[in-house]
Amino acid sequence: MAKPADVSVDSPALDTERPPEQQGLPAGVTNAAVWADERLGLASLLKKNLRKVFPDHWSFLLGEIALYSFIILLLTGVFLTIWFKPSMAEIEYQGTYQLMRGLPMSEAFASTLALSFDVRGGLLVRQIHHWAAMLFVASMTVHMLRIFFTGAFRKPRELNWLIGVGLFSLSLIEGFAGYSLPDDLLSGTGLRFVDGLIRSIPLIGTWAEFFIFNGEFPGDLVIARLYMVHILLVPAVLLGLIAAHLALVVYHKHTQYPGAGRKDGNVVGYPLFPVYMAKAGGFFFVVFGVAILMGATMQINPVWNFGPYNPAQVTAGSQPDWYMGWVEGAIRIMPNWEWHLGSTTWSWNVVLPGVGLMTTLFVLLGAYPFIERWITGDTAEHHVLERPRNNPTRTAIGVAGITCYGMFWLSGGNDILATQFKLSLNAVTEFMRVAVFVAPVIAFIVTKRICISLQRADAERVLHGSETGIIERSPDGGYSEPHRPISIDEKFTLTQHVQGKALEATPDTDGHGVAEKGAGVSSLRALASRWFYAGVIAKPTKDEIAEADHHADGHDADGHEVTAVESESAGQISH
């Protein structure tokens, strides 16, 4: 009989081993982190926010470009501050640039030449700084347009929109102040232009000019004052507004484009850490690299070609930076309109297109979210963006505004247009006087019709599927095109938006004739609401979609597909 095998009590297979301990952070780092957490609560704060989800879309990078351009401006600005001398004291130039030796100029212009020719890397940093300023304003402009066309300014983001408008207006002031600092002939011409704007303000214009320039233009302190505004006051306000803007973005959560699984109560995307922190860090260096490449290969603001500022001279064909060209264009095409009341002159041909137009722009930008809410009566919170086609009137208003801006901007170069295309300067000016009013109206009508057509195409696509591009001939000689059903996700995307309805005029009293505060809709508001929603195509209802799906399934069972002829008779789109 076989004996049972012996049982070993010390087999290596029975030995238990503790896994090797992973080496942690140094004790000093751990102790410092614990110390900070006990006093600041950083662990819970970071744990909550580092996993915060952000949606992913290329257009969201526009705001990041503006932020990174501002960081580049701060970095390059520190370098330039070390070498620039904000003084209008006149000296005789004895620097490296031979063509200007012996010329009288301000210390500001002389230090700019020294930065360009004598300081190692100075010209590169100057040009990076200038191009970054261009990118900052341009990306902020396109970012605001994206927000406008997608309705991202709606509740609860009205305050953040106002902050954005403030950032945009301050960026123009900051750009102009920096543009004027070199005290060259081109920037001095622009400063003279602004002096005319200030002087044209009724009643207080002359006093304001003397206050800013410390006497008659050009004075002897304006460069120093602009320097203080450029490196201290405006950047400090910009930093505060940018911080508030980003804090509100985190607090309200980021908006997202419509799509499957996306609604106002959630955010579909990736966590801040590690995904977005890695992407944001990489994108910052991409933007920085592009700015360096532009500064190294694309010359901008060669002040040595213009020379020092002389009030008796004007640069031929001078143009301001692009973001200020529309104001100059408005003044160039404004007819000569002045009043002479007693000993005062009221220059409406300067103050209205200059000061008045800029004020009107920023007031309308700030007020638009509240105007649209008053017209539509929409008080709900929105976290899912609108496709521009689904709000035709707003999209048309935006395109009309861009067109009007473009006409003013072209007017700012009416002399360049006339000389380059061999046209009469007077003819260009007269044409622009009409175009700034007619072109926006045409743009509004065309844009709204395009949006409505796209809405109709979306409804047709939801109900009858996508075109296959295949033309079939039936036995009786007819031609038709089979349609392919679209996915459920695409149907959801095309029908997800909330479609508003025009308000109806109602009395502001209850059934007993007693007035109620905030009740009722005025006839003016109802009229504006009907205009806002006029022509909008009603999106397919749930029953219409179900019927279309059943119709397509029935045709599939019969062995043929839905044709273009059948699509037209399957249902009508309501207007």
Side-chain angles (χ1 to χ4, degrees):
M1 182 175 178
K3 294 182 179 180
D6 294 335
V7 178
S8 176
V9 295
D10 57 354
S11 172
L14 300 177
D15 293 342
T16 58
E17 295 183 2
R18 185 183 299 273
E21 293 185 1
Q22 296 181 352
Q23 187 175 2
L25 295 172
V29 176
T30 303
N31 294 336
V34 172
W35 183 90
D37 181 50
E38 289 175 348
R39 289 157 178 79
L40 302 174
L42 294 178
S44 58
L45 181 66
L46 293 176
K47 182 179 179 180
K48 176 182 178 181
N49 290 286
L50 287 179
R51 301 301 296 171
K52 190 173 183 65
V53 174
F54 285 88
D56 195 24
H57 193 270
W58 67 265
S59 66
F60 299 152
L61 299 178
L62 296 170
E64 293 188 39
I65 294 175
L67 176 63
Y68 300 152
S69 299
F70 183 70
I71 295 174
I72 295 169
L73 286 169
L74 293 179
L75 296 175
T76 55
V78 170
F79 179 90
L80 297 176
T81 301
I82 297 173
W83 306 100
F84 182 73
K85 297 180 181 179
S87 171
M88 297 182 72
E90 188 173 290
I91 63 171
E92 183 178 306
Y93 180 69
Q94 295 296 333
T96 304
Y97 191 59
Q98 297 288 336
L99 296 180
M100 289 192 180
R101 280 201 170 186
L103 284 180
M105 61 182 63
S106 67
E107 282 193 293
F109 186 70
S111 64
T112 304
L113 291 178
L115 263 167
S116 302
F117 297 113
D118 300 327
V119 177
R120 188 179 298 275
L123 179 59
L124 176 62
V125 176
R126 265 195 65 231
Q127 299 205 146
I128 293 173
H129 191 78
H130 204 131
W131 279 119
M134 296 288 198
L135 285 176
F136 179 59
V137 180
S139 57
M140 191 183 307
T141 302
V142 182
H143 178 60
M144 290 187 68
L145 289 175
R146 195 274 300 174
I147 291 174
F148 179 85
F149 285 119
T150 58
F153 56 79
R154 295 173 296 172
K155 183 181 178 182
R157 295 176 178 81
E158 301 97 332
L159 181 58
N160 224 4
W161 171 260
L162 292 177
I163 291 175
V165 173
L167 284 169
F168 180 62
S169 60
L170 286 174
S171 69
L172 300 185
I173 297 174
E174 178 75 346
F176 173 77
Y179 167 83
S180 302
L181 288 180
D183 200 28
D184 61 286
L185 186 57
L186 182 61
S187 66
T189 302
L191 200 57
R192 181 62 162 172
F193 177 84
V194 172
D195 170 62
L197 289 183
I198 297 171
R199 192 183 298 184
S200 69
I201 301 174
L203 301 180
I204 67 167
T206 304
W207 177 87
E209 180 202 21
F210 275 57
F211 174 78
I212 293 173
F213 292 94
N214 194 38
E216 258 190 304
F217 178 86
D220 55 2
L221 286 179
V222 67
I223 297 297
R225 290 177 174 177
L226 286 175
Y227 185 70
M228 177 183 64
V229 169
H230 184 68
I231 71 165
L232 180 63
L233 296 182
V234 176
V237 179
L238 285 174
L239 278 172
L241 291 179
I242 289 172
H245 182 76
L246 295 177
L248 286 176
V249 168
V250 173
Y251 177 73
H252 290 142
K253 71 186 179 183
H254 205 293
T255 54
Q256 57 187 342
Y257 280 92
R262 300 173 183 179
K263 53 187 179 181
D264 287 329
N266 70 353
V267 178
V268 178
Y270 301 97
L272 177 63
F273 180 83
V275 179
Y276 268 102
M277 290 185 70
K279 294 175 68 174
F283 192 55
F284 167 74
F285 288 106
V286 170
V287 175
F288 207 159
V290 171
I292 293 174
L293 185 64
M294 295 173 72
T297 60
M298 303 166 65
Q299 186 182 76
I300 189 170
N301 199 26
V303 295
W304 53 90
N305 288 340
F306 310 137
Y309 179 63
N310 185 339
Q313 299 173 346
V314 176
T315 305
S318 60
Q319 300 291 314
D321 282 343
W322 68 269
Y323 48 84
M324 295 301 295
W326 62 286
V327 180
E328 179 165 335
I331 293 178
R332 287 192 182 197
I333 64 175
M334 182 71 179
N336 185 24
W337 184 19
E338 286 185 350
W339 288 357
H340 298 279
L341 301 177
S343 59
T344 62
T345 299
W346 300 58
S347 300
W348 299 115
N349 55 329
V350 178
V351 69
L352 287 182
V355 180
L357 191 62
M358 284 192 290
T359 303
T360 302
L361 172 67
F362 295 120
V363 169
L364 288 178
L365 285 176
Y368 184 83
F370 308 98
I371 296 173
E372 183 176 306
R373 187 177 64 181
W374 178 78
I375 292 175
T376 61
D378 182 11
T379 58
E381 287 195 7
H382 298 279
H383 302 286
V384 176
L385 300 171
E386 280 188 303
R387 301 169 76 208
R389 68 184 65 182
N390 291 332
N391 201 315
T393 301
R394 181 204 298 146
T395 302
I397 290 173
V399 174
I402 294 173
T403 304
C404 185
Y405 173 90
M407 293 299 103
F408 281 128
W409 185 76
L410 288 174
S411 301
N414 60 350
D415 55 340
I416 305 296
L417 292 175
T419 55
Q420 293 299 314
F421 293 98
K422 295 180 172 54
L423 301 172
S424 166
L425 177 61
N426 291 336
V428 173
T429 301
E430 294 292 340
F431 175 81
M432 287 300 178
R433 286 176 178 174
V434 177
V436 292
F437 295 103
V438 175
V441 175
I442 296 175
F444 179 91
I445 296 172
V446 172
T447 302
K448 186 164 185 178
R449 297 313 307 171
I450 291 174
C451 289
I452 292 173
S453 298
L454 291 173
Q455 282 187 322
R456 187 177 288 110
D458 285 347
E460 186 77 12
R461 186 176 179 84
V462 169
L463 292 176
H464 307 300
S466 63
E467 299 175 352
T468 61
I470 301 173
I471 305 299
E472 295 181 347
R473 181 177 180 181
S474 62
D476 59 359
Y479 292 90
S480 61
E481 180 183 10
H483 281 214
R484 182 184 299 110
I486 62 175
S487 66
I488 298 298
D489 289 349
E490 186 177 358
K491 286 184 180 180
F492 181 80
T493 302
L494 297 180
T495 59
Q496 181 184 19
H497 59 284
V498 177
Q499 201 156 38
K501 296 181 179 179
L503 301 176
E504 298 292 337
T506 56
D508 57 357
T509 57
D510 58 16
H512 302 286
V514 180
E516 289 184 291
K517 185 178 180 180
V521 176
S522 66
S523 56
L524 176 62
R525 186 180 180 188
L527 179 63
S529 185
R530 287 196 299 272
W531 169 80
F532 193 85
Y533 287 115
V536 175
I537 303 299
K539 67 179 183 180
T541 64
K542 182 178 179 180
D543 294 337
E544 289 174 336
I545 296 174
E547 181 183 352
D549 291 343
H550 175 72
H551 182 65
D553 292 340
H555 275 234
D556 287 341
D558 293 337
H560 63 277
E561 297 182 79
V562 181
T563 65
V565 176
E566 291 162 343
S567 298
E568 293 175 358
S569 60
Q572 297 293 325
I573 307 300
S574 59
H575 290 259

